[in-house]
Amino acid sequence: MFKIREFSQLSQVSIKTLRYYDQLGLLKPASIDPCTGYRYYTTTQLFRLNRIIAFKELGFTLEQIMHLLDEQISIEQIRGMFRLKQAEIQALIEDEQTRLTRLEGRLRRIECEQEALPQHEIVLKAIEPQQVVSIRDKIPPPTLPLMLAELDQYLKRYGVVPSEKQPYLVLWHGCEECDDATDLEVARPITQCIPENERFHVQTLRAYQTVASILHRCPVQSVCSASIDLADWIEAHHYQIVDNQPRREVHLTQEDGALSIAEVQLPVKRIS
């Protein structure tokens, strides 16, 4: 029998950790002196402790290790836990590899631009579903503010008075047969019930697990040049744009009559 200090020296595990394992019920002392409260361990308990250490090195939590060491657990359950941990680690490796690829791309851009940081930062993010009221039409982009004004007038009719500081969305659907016009949709987020008709539509914009996003200043009445940077990034980082989905622009604030701070969002998927 070994006192806790001796057992700590043998196992190279701190006394604090051994006491914590005792509290969890993960490795309880073989006996405790009722008079002194000293904890005593046996040599055979080194095998259990070494297994705990090995499982920790594999990335299992202490709670998971308690299940793995449970005498009632079957070999099939142990195999399943190992497979889940394997999948978890593989996903982490893929995430880190993606991060490494993005870092390498940034480094190349910085080197090509003579150590200057890129003008726009591009990030991957998820977006939640959002209820909006919108107008969709085939129009020349310069007339987009007129559509927004029309939408705001409709909302005011039902007691909703949008502020210039409130975001609005523009969905660029594209139109191959429109010549000078573009299939555009302007939308305002809503939190209350608004009636709809042939001109004004209430809908829930779908969620996306992954969009490539870029925040920038852009002209209100034309296509943003930052979309070119976004397209270059998508191609360089081995993503592709999801088919048949509009490009979203979330106009966060309007600095003046000509420029707006906007976020462009493109739904993307990884190229396998």
Side-chain angles (χ1 to χ4, degrees):
M1 299 281 282
F2 300 96
K3 291 182 179 180
I4 189 171
R5 185 174 299 278
E6 297 169 330
F7 194 71
S8 171
Q9 292 173 344
L10 281 172
S11 63
Q12 295 298 300
V13 174
S14 70
I15 293 175
K16 180 179 179 180
T17 299
L18 291 173
R19 287 174 176 160
Y20 184 53
Y21 289 172
D22 181 13
Q23 292 176 7
L24 295 177
L26 190 58
L27 181 68
K28 300 193 75 67
S31 66
I32 299 178
D33 190 309
C35 297
T36 63
Y38 289 162
R39 295 172 171 87
Y40 290 93
Y41 296 83
T42 64
T43 305
T44 56
Q45 287 184 288
L46 285 171
F47 292 102
R48 182 179 176 90
L49 181 56
N50 284 345
R51 181 161 292 182
I52 293 170
I53 294 170
F55 287 158
K56 280 188 65 179
E57 290 176 348
L58 291 175
F60 288 102
T61 65
L62 294 180
E63 182 179 358
Q64 290 171 330
I65 292 171
M66 290 182 69
H67 289 297
L68 287 168
L69 296 179
D70 188 342
E71 294 180 357
Q72 304 300 320
I73 191 171
S74 67
I75 187 65
E76 186 58 37
Q77 288 174 307
I78 292 175
R79 187 180 293 114
M81 291 183 70
F82 270 72
R83 285 173 177 165
L84 285 174
K85 178 55 66 176
Q86 181 185 39
E88 179 184 323
I89 293 174
Q90 184 62 45
L92 288 173
I93 291 172
E94 291 174 359
D95 287 345
E96 290 302 314
Q97 184 59 53
T98 299
R99 188 173 288 109
L100 178 61
T101 300
R102 292 170 61 187
L103 181 60
E104 290 171 345
R106 288 290 303 277
L107 183 58
R108 285 194 298 271
R109 290 184 63 185
I110 291 172
E111 290 172 346
C112 290
E113 296 175 14
Q114 298 180 346
E115 300 185 359
L117 288 173
Q119 183 178 1
H120 303 295
E121 298 292 342
I122 297 168
V123 298
L124 294 174
K125 62 190 292 187
I127 55 176
E128 299 293 328
Q130 188 173 37
Q131 189 176 35
V132 300
V133 59
S134 67
I135 307 174
R136 181 173 176 176
D137 208 344
K138 294 176 182 177
I139 61 168
T143 62
L144 183 62
L146 298 178
M147 284 182 64
L148 180 62
E150 181 184 357
L151 179 62
D152 287 349
Q153 284 297 323
Y154 184 76
L155 289 171
K156 289 178 182 177
R157 189 185 309 173
Y158 297 99
V160 179
V161 182
S163 165
E164 289 187 359
K165 295 183 179 180
Q166 290 178 314
Y168 67 91
L169 294 84
V170 178
L171 308 179
W172 294 74
H173 295 276
C175 186
E176 296 180 359
E177 303 175 356
C178 292
D179 295 329
D180 295 334
T182 303
D183 187 356
L184 292 175
E185 187 171 9
V186 61
R188 285 277 194 189
I190 55 173
T191 58
Q192 65 188 68
C193 183
I194 300 290
E196 58 180 341
N197 54 39
E198 292 183 358
R199 178 65 172 167
F200 300 93
H201 303 281
V202 175
Q203 61 178 310
T204 299
L205 299 181
R206 60 171 291 184
Y208 290 105
Q209 186 175 358
T210 308
V211 298
S213 165
I214 183 170
L215 189 68
H216 63 106
R217 290 178 173 86
C218 74
V220 176
Q221 301 175 355
S222 63
V223 178
C224 299
S225 60
S227 297
I228 299 174
D229 293 339
L230 192 56
D232 289 342
W233 184 95
I234 290 171
E235 184 177 17
H237 290 80
H238 308 291
Y239 283 86
Q240 66 183 32
I241 299 171
V242 176
D243 292 335
N244 302 317
Q245 297 299 322
R247 183 180 81 245
R248 292 188 192 181
E249 287 179 9
V250 183
H251 291 256
L252 304 174
T253 61
Q254 189 166 326
E255 295 184 320
D256 53 44
L259 287 178
S260 174
I261 297 178
E263 179 187 4
V264 178
Q265 301 171 346
L266 274 176
V268 296
K269 58 184 178 181
R270 187 78 173 174
I271 298 175
S272 57

Coordinates of all heavy atoms in Angstrom, one line a residue, residues 52-128:
I52 N -6.4 5.6 -17.7 CA -7.0 6.9 -17.7 C -6.1 7.9 -18.5 O -6.6 8.7 -19.3 CB -7.2 7.4 -16.2 CG1 -8.2 6.5 -15.5 CG2 -7.6 8.9 -16.2 CD1 -8.3 6.8 -14.0
I53 N -4.8 7.8 -18.2 CA -3.9 8.7 -18.9 C -3.9 8.5 -20.4 O -3.9 9.4 -21.2 CB -2.5 8.6 -18.3 CG1 -2.4 9.0 -16.8 CG2 -1.4 9.4 -19.1 CD1 -1.2 8.7 -16.1
A54 N -3.9 7.2 -20.8 CA -3.9 6.9 -22.2 C -5.1 7.4 -22.9 O -5.1 7.9 -24.0 CB -3.8 5.4 -22.4
F55 N -6.3 7.2 -22.2 CA -7.5 7.7 -22.8 C -7.6 9.2 -22.9 O -8.1 9.8 -23.9 CB -8.7 7.2 -22.0 CG -9.0 5.7 -22.2 CD1 -9.8 5.0 -21.2 CD2 -8.6 5.1 -23.3 CE1 -10.1 3.7 -21.4 CE2 -8.9 3.7 -23.5 CZ -9.6 3.0 -22.5
K56 N -7.0 9.9 -21.9 CA -6.9 11.4 -22.0 C -6.1 11.8 -23.1 O -6.4 12.8 -23.8 CB -6.3 11.9 -20.7 CG -7.3 12.0 -19.5 CD -6.7 12.7 -18.3 CE -6.4 14.2 -18.7 NZ -5.8 14.9 -17.5
E57 N -5.0 11.1 -23.4 CA -4.1 11.5 -24.5 C -4.8 11.2 -25.9 O -4.4 11.9 -26.9 CB -2.8 10.6 -24.5 CG -1.9 11.0 -23.3 CD -0.7 10.2 -23.2 OE1 -0.6 9.1 -23.9 OE2 0.3 10.5 -22.4
L58 N -5.8 10.4 -25.9 CA -6.6 10.2 -27.1 C -7.7 11.2 -27.3 O -8.3 11.2 -28.3 CB -7.2 8.8 -27.1 CG -6.3 7.6 -27.2 CD1 -7.0 6.3 -27.1 CD2 -5.5 7.6 -28.6
G59 N -7.8 12.1 -26.3 CA -8.8 13.2 -26.4 C -10.1 13.0 -25.7 O -11.0 13.8 -25.9
F60 N -10.3 11.8 -25.0 CA -11.5 11.6 -24.3 C -11.6 12.5 -23.1 O -10.6 12.8 -22.4 CB -11.6 10.1 -23.9 CG -11.9 9.2 -25.0 CD1 -10.8 8.4 -25.5 CD2 -13.1 9.0 -25.6 CE1 -11.0 7.5 -26.6 CE2 -13.3 8.2 -26.6 CZ -12.3 7.4 -27.1
T61 N -12.8 12.9 -22.7 CA -13.1 13.7 -21.5 C -13.1 12.7 -20.3 O -13.3 11.5 -20.5 CB -14.4 14.4 -21.6 OG1 -15.5 13.5 -21.6 CG2 -14.5 15.3 -22.8
L62 N -13.0 13.3 -19.1 CA -13.0 12.4 -17.9 C -14.4 11.7 -17.8 O -14.5 10.6 -17.4 CB -12.7 13.3 -16.7 CG -11.3 13.9 -16.6 CD1 -11.2 14.7 -15.3 CD2 -10.3 12.8 -16.7
E63 N -15.4 12.4 -18.2 CA -16.8 11.8 -18.2 C -16.8 10.6 -19.1 O -17.4 9.5 -18.8 CB -17.8 12.8 -18.5 CG -19.3 12.3 -18.5 CD -20.3 13.3 -18.8 OE1 -19.9 14.5 -19.1 OE2 -21.5 12.9 -18.8
Q64 N -16.3 10.8 -20.3 CA -16.2 9.7 -21.3 C -15.4 8.5 -20.8 O -15.7 7.3 -21.0 CB -15.7 10.2 -22.6 CG -16.7 11.1 -23.4 CD -16.0 11.7 -24.6 OE1 -14.8 12.0 -24.6 NE2 -16.9 12.0 -25.6
I65 N -14.3 8.9 -20.1 CA -13.4 7.8 -19.6 C -14.1 7.0 -18.5 O -13.9 5.8 -18.4 CB -12.1 8.5 -19.0 CG1 -11.2 9.1 -20.2 CG2 -11.2 7.5 -18.3 CD1 -10.1 9.9 -19.8
M66 N -14.9 7.7 -17.7 CA -15.7 6.9 -16.7 C -16.5 5.9 -17.3 O -16.7 4.7 -16.8 CB -16.5 7.9 -15.8 CG -15.7 8.8 -14.9 SD -16.7 9.9 -13.9 CE -17.5 8.7 -12.8
H67 N -17.1 6.2 -18.5 CA -18.0 5.2 -19.2 C -17.1 4.1 -19.8 O -17.5 2.9 -19.7 CB -18.7 5.9 -20.3 CG -19.9 6.8 -19.8 ND1 -20.9 6.3 -19.1 CD2 -20.0 8.1 -19.9 CE1 -21.8 7.3 -18.8 NE2 -21.2 8.5 -19.3
L68 N -15.9 4.5 -20.3 CA -15.1 3.5 -20.9 C -14.5 2.5 -19.8 O -14.3 1.3 -20.2 CB -13.9 4.1 -21.6 CG -14.2 4.9 -22.9 CD1 -13.0 5.7 -23.3 CD2 -14.5 3.9 -24.0
L69 N -14.4 2.9 -18.6 CA -13.8 2.1 -17.6 C -14.9 1.3 -16.8 O -14.7 0.5 -15.9 CB -13.0 2.9 -16.6 CG -11.7 3.5 -17.2 CD1 -11.0 4.3 -16.1 CD2 -10.8 2.5 -17.7
D70 N -16.2 1.6 -17.2 CA -17.3 1.0 -16.5 C -17.3 -0.5 -16.9 O -17.2 -0.9 -18.0 CB -18.6 1.6 -17.0 CG -19.8 1.1 -16.2 OD1 -19.7 0.0 -15.5 OD2 -20.9 1.7 -16.3
E71 N -17.3 -1.4 -15.8 CA -17.2 -2.8 -16.1 C -18.5 -3.3 -16.8 O -18.4 -4.4 -17.4 CB -17.1 -3.6 -14.7 CG -15.8 -3.3 -14.0 CD -15.7 -4.0 -12.7 OE1 -16.6 -4.7 -12.3 OE2 -14.6 -3.9 -12.0
Q72 N -19.6 -2.6 -16.8 CA -20.8 -3.0 -17.4 C -20.8 -2.7 -18.9 O -21.7 -3.2 -19.7 CB -22.0 -2.4 -16.7 CG -22.1 -2.6 -15.2 CD -22.2 -4.1 -14.9 OE1 -22.9 -4.9 -15.6 NE2 -21.5 -4.6 -13.9
I73 N -19.9 -1.9 -19.4 CA -20.0 -1.5 -20.8 C -19.5 -2.6 -21.7 O -18.5 -3.3 -21.4 CB -19.1 -0.2 -21.0 CG1 -19.3 0.4 -22.4 CG2 -17.6 -0.5 -20.8 CD1 -18.7 1.8 -22.6
S74 N -20.1 -2.8 -22.8 CA -19.8 -3.9 -23.7 C -18.6 -3.4 -24.7 O -18.4 -2.2 -24.9 CB -21.0 -4.3 -24.6 OG -21.4 -3.2 -25.5
I75 N -18.0 -4.4 -25.3 CA -16.9 -4.1 -26.2 C -17.4 -3.4 -27.4 O -16.7 -2.5 -28.0 CB -16.2 -5.4 -26.6 CG1 -14.9 -5.1 -27.5 CG2 -17.1 -6.3 -27.4 CD1 -13.9 -4.3 -26.7
E76 N -18.7 -3.6 -27.8 CA -19.3 -2.9 -29.0 C -19.5 -1.4 -28.6 O -19.3 -0.6 -29.5 CB -20.6 -3.6 -29.4 CG -21.2 -3.0 -30.6 CD -20.3 -3.1 -31.8 OE1 -19.6 -4.1 -32.0 OE2 -20.3 -2.1 -32.7
Q77 N -19.9 -1.2 -27.4 CA -20.1 0.2 -27.0 C -18.7 1.0 -26.9 O -18.6 2.1 -27.3 CB -20.7 0.3 -25.6 CG -22.2 -0.1 -25.6 CD -22.8 -0.2 -24.2 OE1 -22.2 -0.9 -23.3 NE2 -23.9 0.5 -24.0
I78 N -17.7 0.3 -26.5 CA -16.3 0.9 -26.5 C -15.9 1.2 -27.9 O -15.3 2.2 -28.2 CB -15.3 -0.1 -25.8 CG1 -15.7 -0.2 -24.3 CG2 -13.9 0.4 -26.0 CD1 -14.8 -1.2 -23.5
R79 N -16.1 0.2 -28.8 CA -15.8 0.4 -30.2 C -16.5 1.6 -30.8 O -15.9 2.4 -31.5 CB -16.1 -0.9 -31.0 CG -15.6 -0.8 -32.4 CD -15.9 -2.1 -33.2 NE -15.2 -3.3 -32.6 CZ -15.8 -4.3 -32.0 NH1 -17.1 -4.3 -31.8 NH2 -15.1 -5.3 -31.5
G80 N -17.8 1.8 -30.4 CA -18.5 2.9 -30.9 C -18.0 4.2 -30.4 O -17.9 5.2 -31.2
M81 N -17.6 4.3 -29.1 CA -17.0 5.5 -28.6 C -15.7 5.9 -29.3 O -15.4 7.0 -29.5 CB -16.8 5.3 -27.1 CG -18.1 5.3 -26.3 SD -17.9 5.2 -24.5 CE -17.3 6.8 -24.1
F82 N -14.9 4.8 -29.6 CA -13.7 5.1 -30.3 C -13.9 5.6 -31.7 O -13.2 6.5 -32.2 CB -12.8 3.8 -30.3 CG -11.9 3.7 -29.1 CD1 -12.4 3.4 -27.8 CD2 -10.5 3.9 -29.2 CE1 -11.6 3.3 -26.7 CE2 -9.7 3.8 -28.1 CZ -10.2 3.5 -26.9
R83 N -14.9 5.1 -32.3 CA -15.2 5.5 -33.7 C -15.7 7.0 -33.7 O -15.4 7.8 -34.6 CB -16.3 4.6 -34.3 CG -15.7 3.2 -34.8 CD -16.8 2.3 -35.2 NE -16.3 1.0 -35.7 CZ -17.0 -0.1 -35.9 NH1 -18.3 0.0 -35.6 NH2 -16.4 -1.2 -36.3
L84 N -16.5 7.3 -32.7 CA -17.0 8.7 -32.6 C -15.9 9.7 -32.3 O -15.8 10.7 -32.9 CB -18.0 8.8 -31.5 CG -19.4 8.3 -31.7 CD1 -20.3 8.3 -30.5 CD2 -20.1 9.0 -32.9
K85 N -14.9 9.3 -31.5 CA -13.8 10.1 -31.2 C -12.9 10.2 -32.5 O -12.4 11.3 -32.7 CB -13.0 9.5 -30.0 CG -11.7 10.3 -29.7 CD -11.9 11.7 -29.4 CE -12.8 12.0 -28.2 NZ -12.9 13.4 -27.8
Q86 N -12.8 9.1 -33.2 CA -12.0 9.2 -34.4 C -12.6 10.2 -35.4 O -11.9 11.0 -36.0 CB -12.0 7.8 -35.1 CG -11.2 7.7 -36.4 CD -11.3 6.3 -37.0 OE1 -12.3 5.7 -37.0 NE2 -10.2 5.9 -37.6
A87 N -14.0 10.2 -35.5 CA -14.6 11.1 -36.4 C -14.5 12.5 -36.0 O -14.3 13.5 -36.8 CB -16.1 10.7 -36.5
E88 N -14.5 12.7 -34.7 CA -14.4 14.1 -34.1 C -13.0 14.6 -34.4 O -12.9 15.8 -34.8 CB -14.6 14.0 -32.6 CG -14.5 15.3 -31.9 CD -14.6 15.2 -30.4 OE1 -15.5 14.3 -29.9 OE2 -13.9 15.8 -29.6
I89 N -12.0 13.8 -34.2 CA -10.6 14.3 -34.4 C -10.4 14.5 -35.9 O -9.7 15.5 -36.3 CB -9.6 13.2 -33.9 CG1 -9.7 13.1 -32.4 CG2 -8.2 13.6 -34.4 CD1 -8.8 12.0 -31.8
Q90 N -11.0 13.7 -36.8 CA -10.9 13.9 -38.2 C -11.5 15.2 -38.6 O -10.9 15.9 -39.5 CB -11.5 12.7 -39.0 CG -11.4 12.8 -40.5 CD -9.9 12.7 -40.9 OE1 -9.2 11.9 -40.4 NE2 -9.5 13.6 -41.8
A91 N -12.6 15.5 -38.0 CA -13.3 16.8 -38.4 C -12.4 18.0 -37.9 O -12.3 19.0 -38.6 CB -14.6 16.9 -37.7
L92 N -11.8 17.8 -36.7 CA -10.9 18.9 -36.3 C -9.7 19.1 -37.2 O -9.3 20.2 -37.5 CB -10.4 18.6 -34.8 CG -11.4 18.7 -33.7 CD1 -10.8 18.2 -32.4 CD2 -11.9 20.1 -33.5
I93 N -9.1 17.9 -37.7 CA -8.0 18.0 -38.6 C -8.4 18.7 -39.9 O -7.7 19.6 -40.4 CB -7.5 16.6 -38.9 CG1 -6.8 16.0 -37.7 CG2 -6.5 16.6 -40.1 CD1 -6.5 14.5 -37.8
E94 N -9.6 18.4 -40.4 CA -10.1 19.1 -41.6 C -10.3 20.6 -41.4 O -10.0 21.4 -42.3 CB -11.4 18.4 -42.1 CG -11.1 17.0 -42.6 CD -12.4 16.2 -42.9 OE1 -13.5 16.9 -42.8 OE2 -12.4 15.1 -43.4
D95 N -10.8 20.9 -40.2 CA -11.0 22.3 -39.9 C -9.7 23.1 -39.9 O -9.6 24.2 -40.4 CB -11.8 22.5 -38.6 CG -13.2 22.1 -38.7 OD1 -13.7 22.0 -39.8 OD2 -13.9 21.9 -37.7
E96 N -8.7 22.4 -39.2 CA -7.4 23.1 -39.1 C -6.7 23.1 -40.5 O -6.0 24.1 -40.7 CB -6.5 22.3 -38.1 CG -7.0 22.4 -36.6 CD -7.0 23.9 -36.2 OE1 -6.1 24.6 -36.4 OE2 -8.0 24.3 -35.6
Q97 N -6.9 22.1 -41.3 CA -6.3 22.2 -42.6 C -6.9 23.3 -43.5 O -6.2 24.0 -44.2 CB -6.6 20.8 -43.3 CG -5.9 20.7 -44.7 CD -4.4 20.9 -44.7 OE1 -3.7 20.2 -43.9 NE2 -3.9 21.8 -45.5
T98 N -8.3 23.5 -43.3 CA -8.9 24.6 -44.0 C -8.4 25.9 -43.5 O -8.1 26.8 -44.3 CB -10.4 24.5 -43.7 OG1 -11.0 23.3 -44.3 CG2 -11.1 25.7 -44.4
R99 N -8.2 26.0 -42.2 CA -7.6 27.3 -41.6 C -6.2 27.5 -42.1 O -5.8 28.6 -42.5 CB -7.6 27.2 -40.1 CG -7.2 28.5 -39.4 CD -7.4 28.4 -37.9 NE -8.8 28.4 -37.6 CZ -9.5 27.4 -37.1 NH1 -8.9 26.2 -36.9 NH2 -10.7 27.5 -36.8
L100 N -5.4 26.4 -42.2 CA -4.0 26.5 -42.7 C -4.0 27.0 -44.2 O -3.2 27.8 -44.6 CB -3.3 25.2 -42.6 CG -1.9 25.1 -43.1 CD1 -1.0 26.1 -42.4 CD2 -1.3 23.7 -43.0
T101 N -4.9 26.4 -45.0 CA -5.0 26.8 -46.4 C -5.4 28.3 -46.6 O -4.8 29.0 -47.4 CB -6.1 25.9 -47.1 OG1 -5.7 24.6 -47.0 CG2 -6.2 26.3 -48.6
R102 N -6.3 28.7 -45.7 CA -6.7 30.1 -45.8 C -5.5 31.0 -45.3 O -5.3 32.1 -45.9 CB -7.9 30.4 -44.9 CG -9.2 29.7 -45.4 CD -10.3 29.8 -44.4 NE -10.7 31.1 -44.0 CZ -11.5 31.4 -43.1 NH1 -12.1 30.5 -42.3 NH2 -11.8 32.7 -42.8
L103 N -4.8 30.6 -44.3 CA -3.6 31.4 -43.9 C -2.6 31.5 -45.0 O -2.0 32.5 -45.2 CB -3.1 30.7 -42.6 CG -1.9 31.4 -42.0 CD1 -2.2 32.8 -41.5 CD2 -1.4 30.6 -40.8
E104 N -2.3 30.3 -45.6 CA -1.3 30.3 -46.7 C -1.8 31.3 -47.8 O -0.9 32.0 -48.4 CB -1.1 28.9 -47.2 CG -0.4 28.0 -46.2 CD -0.5 26.5 -46.7 OE1 -1.2 26.2 -47.6 OE2 0.3 25.7 -46.1
G105 N -3.1 31.3 -48.1 CA -3.6 32.2 -49.2 C -3.4 33.6 -48.8 O -3.0 34.5 -49.6
R106 N -3.7 33.9 -47.5 CA -3.5 35.3 -47.1 C -2.1 35.7 -47.1 O -1.7 36.8 -47.5 CB -4.0 35.4 -45.6 CG -5.5 35.4 -45.4 CD -6.2 36.7 -46.0 NE -5.6 37.9 -45.4 CZ -6.1 38.4 -44.2 NH1 -7.0 37.7 -43.5 NH2 -5.5 39.4 -43.7
L107 N -1.2 34.8 -46.8 CA 0.3 35.1 -46.8 C 0.7 35.4 -48.2 O 1.5 36.3 -48.5 CB 1.0 33.9 -46.2 CG 2.6 34.1 -46.1 CD1 2.9 35.3 -45.3 CD2 3.2 32.8 -45.5
R108 N 0.2 34.6 -49.2 CA 0.6 34.8 -50.6 C 0.1 36.2 -51.1 O 0.8 36.9 -51.8 CB 0.0 33.7 -51.5 CG 0.7 32.4 -51.4 CD 0.3 31.4 -52.5 NE -1.1 31.1 -52.5 CZ -1.6 30.1 -51.8 NH1 -0.8 29.3 -51.1 NH2 -2.9 29.9 -51.8
R109 N -1.1 36.5 -50.7 CA -1.6 37.8 -51.1 C -0.8 39.0 -50.5 O -0.5 40.0 -51.1 CB -3.1 38.0 -50.7 CG -4.0 37.1 -51.5 CD -5.5 37.3 -51.1 NE -5.9 38.7 -51.4 CZ -7.1 39.2 -51.1 NH1 -8.0 38.4 -50.4 NH2 -7.4 40.4 -51.4
I110 N -0.5 38.8 -49.2 CA 0.3 39.9 -48.6 C 1.7 40.0 -49.2 O 2.2 41.1 -49.5 CB 0.5 39.5 -47.1 CG1 -0.8 39.7 -46.3 CG2 1.6 40.5 -46.4 CD1 -0.8 39.2 -44.9
E111 N 2.3 38.9 -49.6 CA 3.6 38.9 -50.2 C 3.5 39.5 -51.6 O 4.4 40.3 -52.1 CB 4.2 37.5 -50.3 CG 4.6 37.0 -49.0 CD 5.0 35.5 -49.0 OE1 4.7 34.8 -50.0 OE2 5.6 35.0 -48.0
C112 N 2.4 39.2 -52.4 CA 2.2 39.8 -53.7 C 1.9 41.3 -53.7 O 2.3 42.0 -54.6 CB 1.1 39.0 -54.4 SG 1.4 37.3 -54.9
E113 N 1.3 41.7 -52.6 CA 0.9 43.1 -52.5 C 2.0 43.9 -51.6 O 1.7 44.9 -51.1 CB -0.4 43.3 -51.8 CG -1.5 42.6 -52.7 CD -2.9 42.7 -52.0 OE1 -3.0 43.4 -51.0 OE2 -3.8 42.0 -52.5
Q114 N 3.2 43.3 -51.6 CA 4.3 44.0 -50.9 C 4.0 44.3 -49.5 O 4.1 45.5 -49.0 CB 4.7 45.3 -51.7 CG 5.2 45.0 -53.1 CD 5.5 46.2 -53.9 OE1 5.2 47.4 -53.5 NE2 6.2 46.1 -55.0
E115 N 3.6 43.3 -48.8 CA 3.3 43.3 -47.4 C 2.2 44.2 -46.9 O 2.0 44.4 -45.7 CB 4.6 43.7 -46.6 CG 5.8 42.8 -46.9 CD 7.0 43.2 -46.1 OE1 6.9 44.2 -45.3 OE2 8.0 42.5 -46.2
A116 N 1.3 44.6 -47.9 CA 0.1 45.3 -47.5 C -1.0 44.3 -47.2 O -1.1 43.3 -47.9 CB -0.3 46.2 -48.6
L117 N -1.8 44.6 -46.2 CA -3.0 43.7 -45.9 C -4.0 43.9 -47.0 O -4.2 45.0 -47.6 CB -3.6 44.1 -44.5 CG -2.7 43.8 -43.3 CD1 -3.4 44.4 -42.1 CD2 -2.6 42.3 -43.2
P118 N -4.7 42.8 -47.3 CA -5.8 42.9 -48.3 C -6.8 43.9 -47.9 O -7.1 44.1 -46.7 CB -6.3 41.5 -48.4 CG -6.0 40.8 -47.1 CD -4.7 41.5 -46.7
Q119 N -7.5 44.5 -48.9 CA -8.5 45.6 -48.6 C -9.7 45.0 -47.9 O -10.3 45.7 -47.1 CB -8.9 46.3 -49.9 CG -9.8 47.4 -49.8 CD -10.2 48.1 -51.1 OE1 -9.7 47.7 -52.1 NE2 -11.0 49.1 -51.0
H120 N -10.1 43.8 -48.2 CA -11.3 43.2 -47.7 C -11.0 41.9 -47.0 O -10.2 41.1 -47.5 CB -12.3 42.9 -48.8 CG -12.7 44.2 -49.6 ND1 -13.4 45.2 -49.1 CD2 -12.5 44.5 -50.9 CE1 -13.6 46.1 -50.0 NE2 -13.0 45.7 -51.1
E121 N -11.6 41.7 -45.8 CA -11.5 40.5 -45.1 C -12.7 39.6 -45.5 O -13.8 40.0 -45.5 CB -11.5 40.7 -43.6 CG -10.4 41.6 -43.1 CD -9.0 40.9 -43.2 OE1 -9.0 39.6 -43.3 OE2 -8.0 41.6 -43.2
I122 N -12.4 38.3 -45.8 CA -13.4 37.3 -46.2 C -13.5 36.2 -45.2 O -12.4 35.7 -44.8 CB -13.1 36.8 -47.6 CG1 -13.1 37.9 -48.6 CG2 -14.1 35.7 -48.0 CD1 -12.6 37.5 -50.0
V123 N -14.7 35.9 -44.7 CA -14.8 34.9 -43.6 C -15.9 34.0 -44.0 O -16.8 34.3 -44.9 CB -15.2 35.5 -42.3 CG1 -14.1 36.4 -41.8 CG2 -16.5 36.3 -42.3
L124 N -15.9 32.8 -43.5 CA -17.0 31.8 -43.6 C -17.9 31.8 -42.4 O -17.4 31.9 -41.3 CB -16.4 30.4 -43.8 CG -15.6 30.1 -45.1 CD1 -14.9 28.8 -45.0 CD2 -16.4 30.3 -46.3
K125 N -19.2 31.8 -42.6 CA -20.1 31.9 -41.5 C -21.4 31.2 -41.8 O -21.6 30.9 -43.0 CB -20.4 33.3 -41.1 CG -21.0 34.1 -42.3 CD -21.1 35.6 -42.0 CE -22.0 36.0 -40.9 NZ -22.1 37.5 -40.8
A126 N -22.2 30.9 -40.8 CA -23.5 30.4 -41.0 C -24.5 31.5 -40.8 O -24.3 32.5 -40.0 CB -23.8 29.3 -40.0
I127 N -25.6 31.5 -41.5 CA -26.7 32.5 -41.4 C -28.0 31.8 -41.1 O -28.3 30.8 -41.6 CB -26.8 33.4 -42.6 CG1 -27.0 32.7 -43.9 CG2 -25.6 34.3 -42.7 CD1 -27.2 33.6 -45.1
E128 N -28.8 32.4 -40.2 CA -30.0 31.9 -39.7 C -31.2 32.3 -40.7 O -31.0 33.3 -41.5 CB -30.4 32.4 -38.3 CG -29.3 32.1 -37.3 CD -29.3 30.6 -37.0 OE1 -30.4 30.0 -37.1 OE2 -28.2 30.0 -36.7

